Amino acid sequence: MRFLRRNADETAETTTEDAPAEVNPADPSRTPGKGRPTPKRREAEGKRRGPVPPPPRTQREALKRSRGNKVSKEERRAAAVERRQRMMAGEDKYLLPRDRGPVKAYIRDVVDSRRNLMGLFMPLAILVFVALLVPMPAIQQYATLLTTFMLLAMIVEGFVLGRMVNRRVRLKFPNDTTRGLSIGWYSFIRASQLRRLRVPKPRVSPGDKV
């Protein structure tokens, strides 16, 4: 019966290490030991692989060796910039989960093709903050009234926009199961942002047909 073959070096090493010592003629029944412990498999493999590299002499050398296989800061920065650009371009793979899918892309196009009063929400908030800093009760009163009317108009516009977008989504995607409340809220959030700050960037201009 033939056993698995072993490498010549390993066989020679094993034969040299495991060969029994000579039998003492004075006492043939007793075999003396080899005089040293049998090396472990890990130690034997380490000898065959070669010497271990010397430890680093300075801290800079240690940091350089530890970062040898890591991505550099410039490469990470370039990858982040590329992901940002692809996300702003609207590539579905790089968008947040809330913005993915053809339905959400269609909602964004519908909202971006309109001029919405809700887009003035952030400038209105800044105007109110500045008016509160002016020590004149009349200006503060007028600013409060203007803000109240604007907020009411935005709420009404958001409600009308949500119903309109829901109707158009149901016509274009009849098999879609997205809830109407989710569609309306997504439309409201998109419309309440400044156009230049919307993520991803608008693909259509105001007045375009979608």
Side-chain angles (χ1 to χ4, degrees):
M1 184 174 179
R2 191 175 182 182
F3 295 95
L4 297 175
R5 299 194 311 177
R6 306 172 68 181
N7 296 332
D9 296 340
E10 187 176 353
T11 304
E13 182 181 353
T14 306
T15 304
T16 304
E17 294 174 354
D18 298 341
E22 297 181 357
V23 180
N24 188 359
D27 189 1
S29 62
R30 184 177 180 183
T31 303
K34 293 185 297 183
R36 58 183 175 84
T38 303
K40 298 181 180 179
R41 182 178 180 181
R42 183 179 301 175
E43 296 176 357
E45 291 179 355
K47 292 180 180 179
R48 287 197 297 269
R49 290 175 183 172
V52 180
R57 290 172 294 180
T58 61
Q59 186 176 2
R60 179 177 297 179
E61 184 179 352
L63 292 174
K64 184 177 180 180
R65 186 179 300 181
S66 63
R67 296 175 180 175
N69 299 327
K70 294 183 179 180
V71 182
S72 63
K73 184 183 296 184
E74 290 75 13
E75 293 176 346
R76 292 197 302 269
R77 186 177 301 172
V81 171
E82 183 181 1
R83 288 195 301 269
R84 175 71 179 179
Q85 292 176 350
R86 291 177 179 269
M87 181 178 65
M88 296 300 293
E91 293 191 24
D92 202 66
K93 179 181 177 181
Y94 297 91
L95 294 177
L96 297 176
R98 67 181 183 184
D99 298 324
R100 294 175 184 172
V103 175
K104 296 299 180 63
Y106 179 72
I107 294 173
R108 292 195 297 270
D109 290 343
V110 172
V111 174
D112 296 337
S113 64
R114 296 168 50 89
R115 297 186 184 275
N116 303 290
L117 184 63
M118 290 180 292
L120 300 176
F121 178 79
M122 293 182 63
L124 180 63
I126 297 176
L127 178 63
V128 172
F129 179 75
V130 173
L132 293 177
L133 297 179
V134 177
M136 296 181 64
I139 295 180
Q140 294 180 358
Q141 184 177 2
Y142 286 125
T144 303
L145 291 175
L146 177 62
T147 303
T148 303
F149 285 121
M150 289 287 290
L151 288 177
L152 291 176
M154 289 179 183
I155 293 174
V156 174
E157 184 187 37
F159 180 77
V160 174
L161 178 65
R163 289 179 60 88
M164 185 269 294
V165 174
N166 262 288
R167 184 173 62 255
R168 296 185 62 172
V169 168
R170 300 309 178 196
L171 291 176
K172 189 173 181 63
F173 303 95
N175 297 326
D176 183 68
T177 59
T178 307
R179 295 185 303 172
L181 182 61
S182 177
I183 294 176
W185 179 251
Y186 188 77
S187 304
F188 179 84
I189 294 299
R190 180 77 175 181
S192 63
Q193 297 172 344
L194 290 175
R195 189 175 183 85
R196 66 180 60 183
L197 299 180
R198 295 175 182 177
V199 179
K201 291 182 177 180
R203 301 185 298 183
V204 297
S205 301
D208 292 348
K209 289 186 176 182
V210 179

